Amino acid sequence: MDISDLLDNLNDVQREAVAAPPGNMLIVAGAGSGKTRVLAHRIAYLIRTGEVSPQEILAVTFTNKAARSMRERIEDMLDMPVRQMWVGTFHGIAHRLLRAHWQEAGLPQGFQILDSDDQLRTVKRVLRSMELDEARWPPKQAQWFINAQKDEGRRPEHVDHHNAAYELQMVKIYAAYEEVCKRSGLVDFAELLLRTHETLLKNPGLLAHYQRRFRHILVDEFQDTNTIQYAWLKLLASSGNPMFAVGDDDQSIYGWRGARIENIQRYTEDFANTQTVRLEQNYRSTGNILSAANALIAKNDGRLGKNLWTEGSEGEPILLYAAFNDLEEARYIISNIQTHIDHGTVKSEIAILYRSNAQSRVLESALQRAEIPYRIYGGQRFFERAEIKNATAYLRLLSNPHDDASFERVVNTPTRGIGERSVQVVRDMAKQNQCSLWQAAGEVIASKSVAARSANALQSFISLIEGMTTASQEMELFEKVEHMLQASTLLATHQADKTEKGAMRAENLEELITAARQFENEEEELSELDSFLAHAALEAGEGQGSEGEECVQLMTLHTAKGLEFDVVYLSGLEEGLFPHRMSLDEPGRLEEERRLCYVGMTRARQQLCISYAEIRRLHGQEQYTQASRFLSEIPDEYLREVRARASHSAAVYSGGTSSTGWSAPQQIAGGFQLGQRVSHAKFGEGVVTSSEGDGAHARVQVNFSDYGSKWLVIAYANLQAV
Ligand code: ATP
Ligand code: MG
């Protein structure tokens, strides 16, 4: 592509930004307005015009996937490889710098990266060495504290602890953790950034080198930079090298992880003569989708404000589906997807988005039943998640205590003071006696082959499993699961951890109870528990499309940032789920949830389908939900409500009778009639509008005066005729 071609497929404002003379630039613009496209074109333009060579560019993206596609786009435009160009995430770039300058950074040459799970395990060891009680000082909380400090650029000595007991203890843990990392040459994610920043500051020669080298710095998704990332950019650009930042304040969704939306405002103050550009034309979504998203985000205060429009057609209205329950929601979504596939939509152009990872399980099952290949991004499949594997390991031991793999997995999970050394003694004993670890453990205790403390801990594990086995003998499957989660303290451990991750893990465990409740044993020769475990093991390894295969895309809303798809399903629009209940008390966090909804809606090019379930079994129990407030914030004109599939259906009765087409009242399940007035203890009075199913599953739809339309199972709803 030559320069004029490169500029040709841009609109006037985009072209102006791409071809601007070198200088600081800030592009604040809404979703789908071409920010990422402009950034890629800018890089190609700078190289093509000879302003810079590829190695003089530093480009920062939010994910590795985005970095790869950015590089590919630029190579396409330039028709040459640009391997020397630095394009990556903040973490990736920091890592590269530390590898190159490990000596200046004070690291051993072969330093190792600690991922988040490794980090947690290290924190746990630190707590143990300090003889701190994990119940009082949850490791997750300590991990969160450490990372939050590092993200703000603070070492232990910089933390303002106000002499408060909690902070003082946390600072001690932080310092002890740092000691361990230093001794073992370990670097966690937050450390990558902080250490790079410190290294550059301490080594003026090195800093000068990179300031000279990176003559142009470009940053995508600028609204989600945190304090240390911002400081880092400022440092590298401080010799006056131009910065080109693009972002959207309406899409700032990582405040809970330390991102600072204020960085957008600070930018124009900190970087001299910044030219601010606004892009207002959206190229991604249909008119309906865009107008609906604009109306929603207008409910937030303190926005920079923008006016997005499209030349594209109005398109289809947004589909709104009120499902009877979560299973039915999944069925609807999957059957709708099937229709799109039958009409030629490419599977990878279809995405299902959800607020919480736990929602994926029901969707996964439905996809597997329909034999539609899918892939989950940025999260693990339900039965592969660590907390779920721990739980199934306990269940396996209930079924068969001689299952060595499960024994190993949970003998010290949650931690109960059985160290690696004791486990090794058990392993040796098993080898020597040719028996299971379970039997060997008994032998180890009897023969006093380990210290009394370890023997006691082992004994309490054995008693725990035996106790659970006896207690759960007569229980239903879901009760067994529930009992196991409580007795093992797996659930309590995650609940005690007040971080987002902890909440997520606890939710997943509760979701396992739901899975057990909904499980139907189809293999008669197996016990229900064994059949459930077999199902879990199989689901953990199947259904996931292989690399390169066309797959329906499943991901959380957070992971969907920056991406686009022809067809998008936004599921679970229910109060407490989305907006998430953790955000309900804080206006700031509620606005972040609304931005997240805006991000989700604006991923769709052609068709958006929003759904919610009136009953959801999410946290181990069935709950009546209330439709998300976000739905009422989208004007009706952009929505088309799809009615639940019903075997008997009638025009909605609102007191009066329809003049035609209504003869003798139809008798339906439970002795009710369509059009009959009924009352419900919680929802008050309403009119029966349709019904489906029979026997124990028979349900009716009732239009309540105060609560709107709801599906109710007759057997449980205790409806009274009025
Ligand atoms: P987000 O805020 O979601 O990250 P964005 O502002 O980065 O969105 P892009 O992803 O760059 O937007 O662009 C959205 C879509 O519009 C892409 O498919 C892009 O190729 C297309 N697009 C952008 N500008 C133009 C243009 N001038 N002509 C044709 N297509 C365009
Ligand atoms: Mg983008």
Side-chain angles (χ1 to χ4, degrees):
M1 240 183 234
D2 61 26
I3 294 171
S4 68
D5 285 343
L6 223 155
L7 295 176
D8 263 358
N9 47 18
L10 296 168
N11 68 33
D12 291 349
V13 192
Q14 290 175 335
R15 191 176 308 118
E16 215 179 290
V18 166
N24 293 323
M25 174 100 67
L26 173 66
I27 301 184
V28 229
S33 57
K35 296 182 295 297
T36 304
R37 182 181 172 104
V38 163
L39 196 119
H41 276 70
R42 172 74 171 172
I43 294 173
Y45 177 86
L46 291 172
I47 295 173
R48 184 54 95 222
T49 53
E51 159 70 19
V52 290
S53 58
Q55 68 264 28
E56 292 172 320
I57 282 183
L58 175 64
V60 189
T61 59
F62 208 74
T63 59
N64 292 317
K65 191 166 178 248
R68 274 195 301 277
S69 92
M70 173 82 62
R71 187 187 296 277
E72 280 165 18
R73 279 205 232 179
I74 294 166
E75 291 184 341
D76 272 357
M77 282 188 268
L78 294 175
D79 208 13
M80 65 174 202
V82 284
R83 252 172 270 123
Q84 323 88 303
M85 185 175 81
W86 283 40
V87 41
T89 62
F90 279 107
H91 289 119
I93 291 162
H95 179 230
R96 190 166 174 178
L97 284 167
L98 291 181
R99 283 279 173 228
H101 306 289
W102 54 274
Q103 273 165 316
E104 290 93 329
L107 289 168
Q109 186 170 13
F111 71 86
Q112 292 296 311
I113 307 239
L114 273 184
D115 71 17
S116 162
D117 280 349
D118 297 337
Q119 185 188 29
L120 181 62
R121 249 172 274 135
T122 309
V123 170
K124 278 186 182 167
R125 274 198 296 278
V126 168
L127 290 171
R128 231 171 297 143
S129 71
M130 295 172 75
E131 297 187 341
L132 290 174
D133 177 9
E134 282 195 14
R136 246 198 101 203
W137 306 100
K140 277 298 192 49
Q141 242 171 59
Q143 179 187 26
W144 186 262
F145 179 89
I146 292 168
N147 291 340
Q149 299 308 325
K150 290 191 181 186
D151 284 344
E152 290 292 315
R154 289 191 284 261
R155 293 293 178 190
E157 61 271 23
H158 306 134
V159 179
D160 216 347
H161 49 64
H162 310 289
N163 272 324
Y166 176 82
E167 273 80 8
L168 274 171
Q169 186 60 269
M170 283 293 167
V171 171
K172 274 193 206 144
I173 298 170
Y174 180 10
Y177 167 81
E178 283 216 307
E179 211 32 64
V180 170
C181 290
K182 192 170 161 213
R183 214 168 44 227
S184 337
L186 299 171
V187 174
D188 61 52
F189 289 152
E191 181 73 23
L192 286 171
L193 300 174
L194 180 54
R195 185 67 71 107
T196 310
H197 189 251
E198 289 172 347
T199 305
L200 290 172
L201 269 185
K202 270 192 299 210
N203 295 277
L206 199 62
L207 176 60
H209 166 79
Y210 282 105
Q211 286 173 334
R212 264 196 313 275
R213 170 173 180 160
F214 295 134
R215 293 193 32 237
H216 282 268
I217 300 175
L218 304 96
V219 191
D220 199 359
E221 306 278 3
F222 188 72
Q223 76 280 358
D224 276 323
T225 51
N226 66 24
T227 301
I228 190 76
Q229 292 166 343
Y230 185 82
W232 218 81
L233 290 170
K234 214 175 136 192
L235 188 62
L236 281 172
S238 59
S239 64
N241 287 338
M243 256 266 276
F244 191 98
V246 311
D248 179 5
D249 55 311
D250 289 333
Q251 294 185 71
S252 162
I253 54 176
Y254 280 93
W256 57 280
R257 232 165 59 179
R260 307 236 161 220
I261 196 167
E262 312 87 88
N263 286 344
I264 295 193
Q265 272 104 338
R266 268 184 70 188
Y267 179 84
T268 46
E269 295 157 21
D270 288 351
F271 291 79
N273 305 318
T274 296
Q275 189 192 343
T276 303
V277 175
R278 287 173 193 278
L279 306 173
E280 305 203 312
Q281 182 170 0
N282 173 293
Y283 288 89
R284 180 181 292 149
S285 310
T286 62
N288 273 317
I289 295 170
L290 191 60
S291 305
N294 283 344
L296 175 90
I297 200 65
K299 304 281 181 205
N300 271 5
D301 289 332
R303 302 170 56 220
L304 296 176
K306 49 185 94 79
N307 175 32
L308 265 187
W309 55 277
T310 174
E311 260 177 7
S313 69
E314 287 299 290
E316 295 285 310
I318 295 170
L319 298 182
L320 176 62
Y321 185 75
F324 164 65
N325 62 17
D326 49 343
L327 296 173
E328 207 234 320
E329 182 191 37
R331 267 203 299 274
Y332 172 76
I333 292 177
I334 281 34
S335 77
N336 205 283
I337 286 179
Q338 191 63 60
T339 313
H340 277 289
I341 295 174
D342 294 345
H343 285 80
T345 307
V346 180
K347 293 189 197 80
S348 55
E349 279 298 337
I350 300 174
I352 312 180
L353 310 181
Y354 37 82
R355 175 65 181 85
S356 156
N357 272 312
Q359 283 170 261
S360 77
R361 190 190 59 79
V362 173
L363 295 162
E364 286 182 63
S365 295
L367 283 161
Q368 282 166 2
R369 237 176 292 123
E371 297 184 4
I372 299 175
Y374 65 94
R375 176 169 301 134
I376 297 194
Y377 278 91
Q380 273 169 318
R381 294 150 48 82
F382 184 76
F383 283 106
E384 280 171 6
R385 295 182 178 128
E387 63 277 15
I388 298 299
K389 282 187 144 175
N390 291 341
T392 48
Y394 273 103
L395 293 174
R396 274 176 211 288
L397 289 176
L398 293 192
S399 166
N400 169 22
H402 306 296
D403 178 336
D404 285 352
S406 299
F407 184 97
E408 283 243 11
R409 185 168 182 107
V410 294
V411 65
N412 197 34
T413 306
T415 40
R416 51 175 68 86
I418 302 174
E420 176 51 30
R421 211 171 322 143
S422 310
V423 178
Q424 192 54 47
V425 174
V426 176
R427 276 189 214 114
D428 293 343
M429 180 71 80
K431 208 164 160 193
Q432 192 188 319
N433 294 0
Q434 296 280 313
C435 64
S436 68
L437 292 173
W438 175 261
Q439 286 163 322
E443 194 59 36
V444 164
I445 298 164
S447 62
K448 301 200 166 82
S449 316
V450 289
R453 239 173 82 189
S454 304
N456 286 341
L458 262 179
Q459 183 55 53
S460 69
F461 175 68
I462 289 179
S463 309
L464 172 71
I465 301 294
E466 284 173 346
M468 275 198 251
T469 312
T470 319
S472 65
Q473 215 106 59
E474 299 299 314
M475 289 181 184
E476 298 270 342
L477 178 62
F478 79 91
E479 293 169 326
K480 280 195 175 111
V481 175
E482 202 165 10
H483 178 76
M484 175 277 299
L485 288 176
Q486 261 146 25
S488 65
T489 72
L490 277 180
L491 188 56
T493 307
H494 292 302
Q495 278 167 340
D497 160 15
K498 295 297 175 215
T499 67
E500 193 95 6
K501 259 264 180 71
M504 206 176 77
R505 297 220 153 118
E507 277 174 15
N508 284 335
L509 287 178
E510 284 163 343
E511 181 64 14
L512 186 67
I513 305 175
T514 306
R517 214 189 263 266
Q518 292 172 339
F519 182 71
E520 282 170 32
N521 187 7
E522 283 163 4
E523 290 172 76
E524 284 180 6
E525 60 284 19
L526 286 182
S527 76
E528 199 177 20
L529 177 60
D530 286 336
S531 172
F532 181 67
L533 289 169
H535 163 80
L538 288 174
E539 281 218 356
E542 274 176 24
Q544 182 97 322
S546 52
E547 201 62 47
E549 187 185 359
E550 286 295 343
C551 293
V552 171
Q553 319 274 304
L554 266 69
M555 65 191 86
T556 63
L557 288 148
H558 281 99
T559 311
K561 197 166 76 151
L563 305 180
E564 55 187 19
F565 309 92
D566 285 346
V567 183
V568 170
Y569 295 85
L570 220 59
S571 62
L573 269 277
E574 295 140 33
E575 284 292 299
L577 184 56
F578 191 30
H580 198 275
R581 62 195 138 85
M582 281 174 85
S583 71
L584 292 178
D585 307 332
E586 276 175 65
R589 300 209 36 193
L590 182 63
E591 294 213 338
E592 184 154 304
E593 293 286 301
R594 194 176 280 111
R595 291 194 292 270
L596 194 55
C597 188
Y598 174 77
V599 167
M601 294 172 75
T602 54
R603 297 310 95 199
R605 290 200 193 98
Q606 309 291 337
Q607 177 76 69
L608 175 63
C609 174
I610 304 182
S611 56
Y612 63 98
E614 289 170 4
I615 297 173
R616 185 173 293 275
R617 261 184 187 159
L618 194 64
H619 307 300
Q621 44 177 304
E622 195 167 81
Q623 282 167 347
Y624 279 102
T625 67
Q626 218 181 326
S628 168
R629 71 191 67 196
F630 299 149
L631 290 177
S632 61
E633 293 171 2
I634 301 172
D636 288 342
E637 57 186 301
Y638 307 120
L639 297 171
R640 183 167 76 217
E641 218 170 315
V642 191
R643 287 176 57 88
R645 175 176 47 82
S647 48
H648 307 277
S649 193
V652 174
Y653 253 65
S654 44
T657 39
S658 55
S659 51
T660 53
W662 194 260
S663 47
Q666 229 174 323
Q667 191 81 14
I668 55 174
F672 293 103
Q673 292 164 359
L674 291 181
Q676 183 174 0
R677 283 197 76 78
V678 292
S679 88
H680 179 270
K682 176 165 174 211
F683 304 128
E685 287 197 14
V687 178
V688 178
T689 54
S690 57
S691 79
E692 75 172 49
D694 40 40
H697 301 293
R699 45 205 197 223
V700 287
Q701 190 176 32
V702 181
N703 191 13
F704 291 103
S705 333
D706 295 336
Y707 285 83
S709 199
K710 298 247 174 249
W711 279 99
L712 301 168
V713 176
I714 296 173
Y716 302 123
N718 198 17
L719 288 174
Q720 306 294 328
V722 186

